[in-house]
Amino acid sequence: MTTVYLVTLVMLGVGAAAALFRLGRGPTTLDRAVSLDVITSLAMCGAGAYAAVYGDYADVPVLLVLSLLGFVGTVSLARFFPEGGQ
C-alpha cells in the first residue's frame, strides 16, 4: 500500500467520522440528510481511490449506482423539506 493511498484512507476516515457524528447529533432532519449524502460521497471516493491504486475498475458500476442514489435521495429530501426542515 502506498503512502498516498494510506493518507487518503485516513482523510476519508476522518471525514466519515465527522459525518457520523453529525448524523447522530444533528439538530434537524436536514443535517442528518446532508451527513448521509456526505457518507455516500466518501464511500464513492474510497471506491475510486481503490480503483486508481489497484487498477481494478470493476467498481465503476458501483460508483454510478451510488452517485445516482445520492442524487435522487438528496433531491427527494430537498423537495420533502422545502421550508428549512425543522
Side-chain angles (χ1 to χ4, degrees):
M1 201 174 332
T2 64
T3 306
V4 174
Y5 183 59
L6 186 61
V7 169
T8 302
L9 289 181
V10 167
M11 289 172 52
L12 290 173
V14 169
L20 284 172
F21 176 75
R22 178 52 57 193
L23 180 66
R25 183 106 176 154
T28 65
T29 306
L30 287 179
D31 288 332
R32 291 182 172 97
V34 168
S35 69
L36 281 175
D37 196 32
V38 168
I39 291 171
T40 303
S41 298
L42 290 172
M44 289 171 40
C45 289
Y50 175 82
V53 168
Y54 290 109
D56 182 20
Y57 298 106
D59 293 337
V60 172
V62 173
L63 292 174
L64 290 172
V65 169
L66 278 175
S67 67
L68 225 104
L69 286 175
F71 174 74
V72 170
T74 302
V75 169
S76 64
L77 280 173
R79 290 184 59 84
F80 185 66
F81 293 111
E83 294 293 327
Q86 298 293 331

